[in-house]
Amino acid sequence: MWDPVKYLDYADLRARPFHDLVGRIPAEAPRRVADLGCGPGNLTAGLAERWPDAIIEASDSSPEMVEAARSRGVDARVLDVNDWVPEPDTDVVISNAVLQWVPEHRDLLRRWVDQLPSGATLAFQVPGNFDAPSHALIRALARTEEWATRLADVVLRENGAVESPLGYGTLLADAGCAVDAWETTYLQRLSGEDAVLEWITGTALRPVKEVLRGDDWDRFRAQLARKLDEAYPPRADGTTWFEFRRVFVVAVVDRGPSPRLTR
């Protein structure tokens, strides 16, 4: 279960990759813009400002997130990203920090390219920090004797969950796209006690929280907090540096010499 309130902790910092991604989308006047994995809708609302004449289509697999998005005036619906099929007038598809949760997303990307009209833009970003201490320590703790049995079936993402920019660039170029792919490491200055723990509680720790309850969840968090403090020591001023690597892709479907959208 996704917690919209927890997810919106550090909302400004979490929004930076979305804005950097959308800023590289070349479409000037798309007919329909699909935001797949819209979350609580705080970022989706800005798409209507960028493209005021477009139909903004929003969806998320979490009913809690969709409810939060609707409370912000976003016309969102509950939909698994695997089941999404583009309408014929879909000119922009945005997927912000979603595809890392979809093991088969490479096949999904190929399918979308086949289904989208020529000139459409497919833009997505995913985390590239699965080998960072923030994630590696979760996996290591989950495999200890105390937790291994209860967390045996929990899927904790490792680096193979996503491709590098080169990997996505190759995949989408072979599928018939003009590709702009890059990576960025944001140096986030987090504040507050157990800052990194609080940051990952709304994302990477979510699968663990779905299994562990009550005292078990509190004990796991406390054990992880000590390890994170060693890996990410707080500064004297109470803030903590956190490296936040992301992989970005903007791919324009190109099936001919004269695509309909301006690039």
Side-chain angles (χ1 to χ4, degrees):
M1 178 183 296
W2 284 95
D3 182 346
V5 176
K6 175 56 68 175
Y7 184 82
L8 286 172
D9 284 351
Y10 306 108
D12 289 344
L13 294 179
R14 292 194 191 279
R16 288 182 64 190
F18 178 87
H19 294 308
D20 288 348
L21 177 69
V22 172
R24 296 283 280 271
I25 295 175
E28 293 182 357
R31 296 166 294 176
R32 180 184 295 269
V33 176
D35 185 5
L36 308 181
C38 65
N42 57 309
L43 300 174
T44 310
L47 299 177
E49 299 177 7
R50 166 82 185 270
W51 296 295
D53 296 326
I55 298 170
I56 306 298
E57 174 187 332
S59 61
D60 199 284
S61 62
S62 165
E64 294 80 17
M65 288 293 196
V66 168
E67 182 179 355
R70 288 175 177 167
S71 72
R72 288 180 167 82
V74 175
D75 185 16
R77 59 173 172 153
V78 177
L79 181 69
D80 189 304
V81 70
N82 288 288
D83 298 327
W84 180 77
V85 177
E87 296 291 339
D89 61 348
T90 302
D91 291 327
V92 173
V93 180
I94 300 169
S95 176
N96 183 59
V98 173
L99 295 180
Q100 73 274 13
W101 298 105
V102 184
E104 64 275 16
H105 73 266
R106 297 159 182 84
D107 293 334
L108 204 57
L109 292 171
R110 295 186 187 96
R111 191 183 85 198
W112 290 345
V113 170
D114 288 341
Q115 294 171 332
L116 289 167
S118 184
T121 300
L122 172 58
F124 62 93
Q125 69 90 7
V126 291
N129 59 340
F130 294 108
D131 280 349
S134 56
H135 290 63
L137 288 172
I138 298 173
R139 296 193 298 268
L141 181 58
R143 291 166 181 159
T144 59
E145 182 178 357
E146 180 177 2
W147 303 109
T149 300
R150 277 170 287 182
L151 298 178
D153 296 329
V154 174
V155 178
L156 298 172
R157 305 297 180 205
E158 302 193 31
N159 228 30
V162 300
E163 296 284 349
S164 65
L166 176 60
Y168 285 123
T170 300
L171 184 156
L172 289 164
D174 290 347
C177 295
V179 185
D180 179 16
W182 71 99
E183 66 178 65
T184 299
T185 298
Y186 300 92
L187 184 58
Q188 313 281 39
R189 196 172 187 179
L190 306 181
S191 60
E193 187 177 358
D194 296 329
V196 175
L197 177 66
E198 294 301 326
W199 176 279
I200 64 176
T201 293
T203 52
L205 268 179
R206 185 180 61 87
V208 175
K209 188 177 181 181
E210 289 179 351
V211 173
L212 300 180
R213 305 291 182 184
D215 291 342
D216 287 340
W217 167 242
D218 291 340
R219 192 164 67 257
F220 187 94
R221 269 177 52 96
Q223 293 174 10
L224 183 61
R226 291 193 293 272
K227 297 177 182 297
L228 290 172
D229 276 347
E230 294 176 3
Y232 301 95
R235 292 162 47 87
D237 64 1
T239 63
T240 303
W241 290 120
F242 180 65
E243 291 183 316
F244 187 52
R245 178 177 174 261
R246 316 299 289 185
V247 175
F248 298 80
V249 180
V250 175
V252 178
V253 180
D254 187 0
R255 296 198 181 93
S258 301
R260 187 176 50 73
L261 292 182
T262 300
R263 295 186 184 180

